[in-house]
Amino acid sequence: MTDQSVRTTFVSSPDGVRLAVYEGGNPAGPPVVFVHGFSQASLCWARQFSDPLLSSTFRLVAFDLRGHGGSDKPADAASYAEDRTHAADLHAIKLSLGLSRSVLVLWPYAGRLASDYASAFGTSAIAAINFVCADALSAPEHDGPGCAPIEGMLSSDIAINIASTRAFLSGCFTVPPSREEFETALAYNMMVPADVRRHHLSRPSNDGPMLPRLLMPALLTHGAEDTVILKSKSELAARMLPDARLSIYEGIGHSPFAEDPRRFNRELHDFAVFATGRPKA
């Protein structure tokens, strides 16, 4: 994070992988934990960490997934293969930072972390989940043409890799970011080695068997124009979750938190206030 008010620490997972963790907002507030998507980094949440409403109400935490951003990037496939490994990363952070009853904000690939964590550690430490254009279950028929560049992102040919990463990143927006924001996002996307990308995508499929057991409130946020994960995937997940509300952003693509941060931050604030019992601002 570039905001000087955001503190960076490192937490070790049980297998020794160091995870970069970023903390801001109100240290006395209920925790909201942001988890980025495939080949991204916690920098994508900059407009949430700098939002006065969220930062005055909640303790804001984000971390770079293993293999991403400032976290360690082990080269072996075994470091990414097991669902429990990824759940243990989140659990280690929750224990290290003393995060109880957290609201999780999960952007695409991170959507499966809800099932990973619930399967490994139960749901008592999760107050609510905001799935954002999320891959909450494997249902490839709901993946859009914006996924096509991912194959080239696995290439060891650097020119193909960069061109494919640029194409993928461009497809993450209907409302384009500024040139500076795009260049920053391209830089942190390229920090993820091709082999690490491949290892993440080689994990077993998740058909969503845990979704009906996630009894906490769930908000499913999705851009109507998303071509990476089609909105029909969130509609499917909403039917499987016991306590779900679907929020569709017209004219917005795969990154509603960046394309329409004003609406996104207000909806997240109100949802998290409801879920945690925090007095409404």
Side-chain angles (χ1 to χ4, degrees):
M1 294 286 182
T2 56
D3 189 337
Q4 293 185 355
S5 67
V6 176
R7 183 170 63 96
T8 303
T9 57
F10 291 89
V11 172
S12 290
S13 198
D15 63 351
V17 171
R18 284 204 329 159
L19 304 166
V21 182
Y22 311 93
E23 187 172 2
N26 179 357
V32 177
V33 180
F34 298 84
V35 192
H36 64 78
F38 170 75
S39 194
Q40 308 290 333
S42 293
L43 281 170
C44 70
W45 304 113
R47 294 191 181 186
Q48 283 62 61
F49 272 67
S50 63
D51 180 73
L53 184 62
L54 290 176
S55 61
S56 64
T57 309
F58 298 104
R59 182 182 180 186
L60 306 179
V61 177
F63 72 97
D64 292 332
L65 294 171
R66 58 176 53 212
H68 293 69
S71 293
D72 285 350
K73 301 171 179 62
D76 61 302
S79 293
Y80 305 89
E82 301 294 331
D83 292 345
R84 186 179 178 88
T85 299
H86 300 274
D89 287 350
L90 175 58
H91 194 60
I93 290 167
K94 287 174 68 65
L95 291 177
S96 179
L97 272 64
L99 306 178
S100 60
R101 299 286 295 162
S102 304
V103 176
L104 302 181
V105 184
L106 308 176
W107 186 36
Y109 172 69
R112 68 178 294 165
L113 187 58
S115 292
D116 295 342
Y117 190 87
S119 296
F121 299 105
T123 60
S124 61
I126 303 175
I129 304 172
N130 183 188
F131 293 96
V132 184
C133 302
D135 231 351
L137 71 163
S138 299
E141 65 273 20
H142 299 282
D143 296 340
C147 290
I150 290 176
E151 182 176 355
M153 295 170 69
L154 311 181
S155 175
S156 58
D157 184 312
I158 191 64
I160 294 173
N161 195 311
I162 292 172
S164 300
T165 303
R166 288 181 65 91
F168 172 72
L169 189 57
S170 295
C172 287
F173 300 93
T174 295
V175 178
S178 69
R179 179 176 179 177
E180 181 180 358
E181 289 169 330
F182 185 87
E183 289 174 348
T184 297
L186 180 61
Y188 61 66
N189 270 258
M190 290 307 301
M191 291 178 70
V192 186
D195 285 346
V196 169
R197 291 171 172 171
R198 186 178 299 107
H199 296 333
H200 273 283
L201 295 182
S202 297
R203 294 172 63 190
S205 63
N206 165 31
D207 296 324
M210 285 298 297
L211 294 185
R213 297 169 59 183
L214 300 179
L215 304 180
M216 70 289 294
L219 171 63
L220 292 97
T221 303
H222 214 112
E225 310 305 320
D226 189 352
T227 63
V228 180
I229 304 294
L230 304 181
K231 69 175 182 177
S232 55
K233 184 172 278 193
S234 283
E235 292 169 343
L236 174 61
R239 293 193 293 270
M240 299 174 69
L241 290 159
D243 184 6
R245 180 171 73 85
L246 185 64
S247 180
I248 300 296
Y249 286 48
E250 298 297 332
I252 298 299
H254 191 57
S255 307
F257 55 89
E259 296 178 66
D260 191 355
R262 185 172 183 177
R263 173 179 170 182
F264 181 89
N265 293 347
R266 169 53 73 176
E267 288 191 356
L268 172 59
H269 172 270
D270 292 350
F271 173 67
V273 161
F274 166 78
T276 62
R278 184 77 170 179
K280 192 168 182 178

